[in-house]
Amino acid sequence: MRTGLASDPIFEQHDTGPGHPERPARLPALLNALEGLDLVAVEPREATREEIEAAHSPDYVSRVEDAVSRGVTHLDADTVLSPHSFQAAVKAAGAGLALAEALLDGRIEAGFAAVRPPGHHACTARAMGFCLFNNIAILARFLQAREQRVCIVDWDVHHGNGTEEIFRNDAAIGFCSLHQSPLYPGTGSPRETGAGNIRNIPLPPASGEATYL
């Protein structure tokens, strides 16, 4: 299977400060682990404003951009900004779009976006949990506009509350989250089913590969 890899040095310039769990060193560690694999390099691009606003309110996008330009360092207690954060976030969203374009063009059959900042806690109009823009939601809207069927499977230890919020009332986009519970952000109950398109699977702490499978 031809698998594309999209990444960019700008992602390391999203500086969250010393000791932050979502820090720049995560990216080179990941890329080093991928060395030697037969991957197809796909050049990320910046997501357009219209593409980002397919998942976020225009006012929210403007507020993030303005906060970075004014030198604001925190959008909340966990979500840190630095001078290159907006540029990194726009390209993080665009990396998935570039992979989708390569897939739809037949250049690849699967893709992996190694990006920062992450996205699945970012809501329609709110940053949260290290996340500025919801990269996977932006990608899902991009594919939806091209009449592709989309199901998002989120296996991060935390519930993807932002992704669920964005698609809660959209029966055309499937969302399944496997996550530890109880744990931040405290959402992700099996009772949260949206328009019949949401499936939450809370798992106990220390669940391993066998439990996920």
Side-chain angles (χ1 to χ4, degrees), residues 82-141:
S82 66
H84 297 286
S85 292
F86 186 79
Q87 183 184 0
V90 167
K91 194 162 250 189
L97 305 183
L99 288 167
E101 289 164 341
L103 189 146
L104 293 173
D105 289 345
R107 289 179 280 140
I108 60 174
E109 298 163 280
F112 184 80
V115 305
R116 299 178 59 255
H120 76 158
H121 293 307
C123 300
T124 304
R126 178 186 175 193
M128 188 174 174
F130 316 155
C131 303
L132 302 181
F133 299 138
N134 197 308
N135 305 317
I136 195 65
I138 293 165
L139 172 56
R141 287 292 189 215

Side-chain angles (χ1 to χ4, degrees), residues 39-212:
L39 302 174
V40 180
V42 174
E43 185 70 25
R45 66 171 176 84
E46 293 187 349
T48 66
R49 190 73 170 234
E50 181 181 10
E51 288 165 341
I52 296 170
E53 290 175 359
H56 294 285
S57 71
D59 177 67
Y60 171 68
V61 179
S62 295
R63 281 190 281 119
V64 174
E65 184 175 26
D66 180 64
V68 172
S69 68
R70 290 189 292 109
V72 174
T73 59
H74 285 74
L75 289 177
D76 63 20
D78 299 318
T79 309
V80 180
L81 296 176
S82 66
H84 297 286
S85 292
F86 186 79
Q87 183 184 0
V90 167
K91 194 162 250 189
L97 305 183
L99 288 167
E101 289 164 341
L103 189 146
L104 293 173
D105 289 345
R107 289 179 280 140
I108 60 174
E109 298 163 280
F112 184 80
V115 305
R116 299 178 59 255
H120 76 158
H121 293 307
C123 300
T124 304
R126 178 186 175 193
M128 188 174 174
F130 316 155
C131 303
L132 302 181
F133 299 138
N134 197 308
N135 305 317
I136 195 65
I138 293 165
L139 172 56
R141 287 292 189 215
F142 176 89
L143 291 169
Q144 184 181 35
R146 285 151 183 79
E147 300 183 344
Q148 301 296 308
R149 296 180 66 197
V150 179
C151 180
I152 300 165
V153 180
D154 184 334
W155 66 86
D156 187 82
V157 69
H158 303 107
H159 176 239
N161 65 297
T163 311
E164 178 178 309
E165 186 240 41
I166 291 168
F167 296 114
R168 183 176 293 141
N169 299 312
D170 187 347
I173 301 288
F175 176 68
C176 175
S177 178
L178 301 93
H179 49 270
Q180 181 176 317
S181 180
L183 195 66
Y184 177 92
T187 52
S189 164
R191 295 187 297 274
E192 299 168 19
T193 58
N197 59 321
I198 305 296
R199 177 76 185 274
N200 285 309
I201 306 174
L203 300 173
S207 294
E209 184 175 306
T211 303
Y212 270 73

